[in-house]
Amino acid sequence: MKKLSVLIIFNSLTLVLFAQRETFDLTTYTAPTQKAGWTKEAKDNFVTYTITDNKKKTWCRIAIFKSTTSKGNIERDFESEWQLLVYSPYKTNEAPQTNKAQESGGWKIKTGAGKFIFNAADATALLTCMSSNNRCVSILTITNTEDYNVQIQSFFESVKLLNPQNLSTKPTENPRPQPGESNNTTVIVGSWGKSNTIGQLYNRFGNYSYNKQQYIFNANGTYRFTGKNYSEQYDETLLIKENGTYTINGNSLTISPQNSVIEAWTKKNGADNWNKLKTSQKRALEKTTYQFSVVEKNLVLQTTKETERDGRFSNGNSYSYGPPGTFTAIKLPGE
């Protein structure tokens, strides 16, 4: 992906007094339209606008966060918000490229951008942080393309904040869950895996085989699912790769796949490895709603019938996925 033209956006944000527009907390703006392909998700602590092009495999998400208590100045606010909203969920490897803090309409504004890897491809996070009168507002844009730069810039040009003279100076704290996280105490973001293994008796008799399933739930409301089926008695190893979006409503988790394929790979010297891709075919997109909970650190997904994606139930009518440290992650070809 080409470098996001962040400097254009750095200079496009002009804050004026409150006007009659679509409003979230202290922020009013002209929203990207559903007609143009954007979808809206509103929660107590953030509102997001997302667009995806499945053919080009490009996407963009703009998240407006509810204001929180300022750390005292724009530099500390930006550093804190970057750690919370960008570094922690996306694991950016480098310090952000930032502009010099500006001031407009009584608000201090600082913007920074950094790269991260998503689905083995480059993506960019753009954080705009604004603070005034003990309040801090953040807007986060993440994307893997420049295709939406004009729409991003148009959105930022429309952003207006409440007059800081009208803000309360009383310190109040607001929880800051990421888009895609549960609003309750159960946190689903992270890696979860399960496996079934058939071993050899005394390491001599029978065929060794196993199958694994693994979810990675990202803080931006996207997920990746990987499945692997290996057996010594077969010439091929099967690999399932799926990605899409998820939403949470209370204890209900809805998974909406966007792409899903099953691949057959040959083995080198008959060992457990990825040699050459033999076949690849699309799988049915299986949208599913689960009731979820975390029991003894395991993610438990409960549904009325077994899914093709998750395989056979772990127990009763539920699947149990363990957190990192309890399973060996699936290593994909080329890793």
Side-chain angles (χ1 to χ4, degrees):
M1 185 187 73
K2 294 181 179 179
K3 182 178 179 182
L4 186 67
S5 302
V6 294
L7 294 180
I8 296 177
I9 299 174
F10 284 166
N11 296 321
S12 69
L13 185 59
T14 301
L15 304 180
V16 297
L17 299 185
F18 184 80
Q20 293 297 318
R21 300 189 179 204
E22 188 162 348
T23 301
F24 178 73
D25 190 38
L26 307 181
T27 308
T28 183
Y29 55 91
T30 301
T33 65
Q34 185 175 1
K35 187 175 181 180
W38 294 81
T39 58
K40 178 182 178 180
E41 180 184 12
K43 298 292 185 180
D44 290 341
N45 294 289
F46 59 83
V47 60
T48 65
Y49 297 88
T50 305
I51 189 169
T52 302
D53 188 322
N54 291 327
K55 291 184 178 180
K56 293 183 178 180
K57 297 183 179 180
T58 57
W59 51 268
C60 178
R61 171 169 289 189
I62 300 172
I64 307 165
F65 291 89
K66 191 173 183 179
S67 62
T68 189
T69 302
S70 171
K71 299 296 186 294
N73 60 61
I74 186 62
E75 298 299 333
R76 291 177 60 190
D77 284 340
F78 180 85
E79 182 179 356
S80 175
E81 296 291 272
W82 182 268
Q83 290 291 321
L84 179 65
L85 301 178
V86 182
Y87 178 78
S88 292
Y90 304 112
K91 307 304 179 186
T92 50
N93 295 323
E94 301 177 354
Q97 175 193 353
T98 62
N99 71 330
K100 185 177 180 180
Q102 306 171 13
E103 185 170 354
S104 180
W107 289 84
K108 294 288 183 66
I109 312 160
K110 189 174 182 67
T111 302
K115 289 185 177 181
F116 63 97
I117 302 297
F118 179 73
N119 279 350
D122 286 342
T124 298
L126 174 70
L127 177 67
T128 299
C129 182
M130 299 154 280
S131 64
S132 179
N133 205 20
N134 203 42
R135 303 306 296 166
C136 172
V137 176
S138 289
I139 301 176
L140 175 64
T141 303
I142 56 173
T143 184
N144 68 345
T145 180
E146 290 187 333
D147 291 355
Y148 306 111
N149 274 14
V150 173
Q151 296 174 66
I152 294 171
Q153 183 173 346
S154 179
F155 165 79
F156 274 96
E157 288 174 346
S158 77
V159 170
K160 305 177 189 296
L161 295 184
L162 187 69
N163 188 333
Q165 297 297 324
N166 298 330
L167 301 182
S168 171
T169 58
K170 183 179 179 180
T172 58
E173 285 295 343
N174 298 306
R176 298 297 296 273
Q178 286 281 342
E181 288 185 357
S182 172
N183 285 334
N184 57 32
T185 57
T186 303
V187 178
I188 198 173
V189 171
S191 299
W192 309 87
K194 66 182 181 71
S195 63
N196 296 308
T197 303
I198 301 176
Q200 296 171 312
L201 183 61
Y202 305 126
N203 294 319
R204 295 176 58 190
F205 305 108
N207 293 296
Y208 175 74
S209 64
Y210 64 85
N211 62 74
K212 294 182 177 181
Q213 294 81 33
Q214 178 181 329
Y215 282 104
I216 298 177
F217 292 105
N218 299 299
N220 64 356
T222 62
Y223 79 93
R224 184 177 74 187
F225 175 85
T226 310
K228 181 180 180 182
N229 193 321
Y230 168 82
S231 176
E232 286 183 334
Q233 69 180 117
Y234 298 122
D235 295 331
E236 300 171 351
T237 299
L238 300 181
L239 175 64
I240 295 172
K241 297 188 295 185
E242 180 178 297
N243 62 74
T245 61
Y246 70 93
T247 57
I248 289 177
N249 183 11
N251 290 324
S252 294
L253 166 67
T254 299
I255 290 179
S256 302
Q258 294 176 344
N259 298 284
S260 186
V261 298
I262 183 169
E263 300 175 345
W265 287 77
T266 63
K267 305 172 184 177
K268 186 175 182 180
N269 300 323
D272 186 0
N273 54 48
W274 307 108
N275 186 26
K276 293 183 179 180
L277 178 62
K278 188 175 181 180
T279 62
S280 177
Q281 62 185 40
K282 292 184 178 180
R283 300 174 70 245
L285 301 182
E286 192 177 20
K287 184 176 180 178
T288 309
T289 296
Y290 306 87
Q291 296 300 308
F292 77 96
S293 59
V294 173
V295 180
E296 296 180 351
K297 297 185 179 180
N298 293 324
L299 174 65
V300 177
L301 305 179
Q302 186 175 13
T303 185
T304 56
K305 64 178 182 179
E306 292 179 342
T307 66
E308 292 290 334
R309 174 174 47 248
D310 302 280
R312 304 184 69 174
F313 281 134
S314 303
N315 183 34
N317 62 341
S318 64
Y319 300 101
S320 181
Y321 285 84
T326 63
F327 66 93
T328 302
I330 297 173
K331 188 175 182 180
L332 297 176
E335 290 185 348

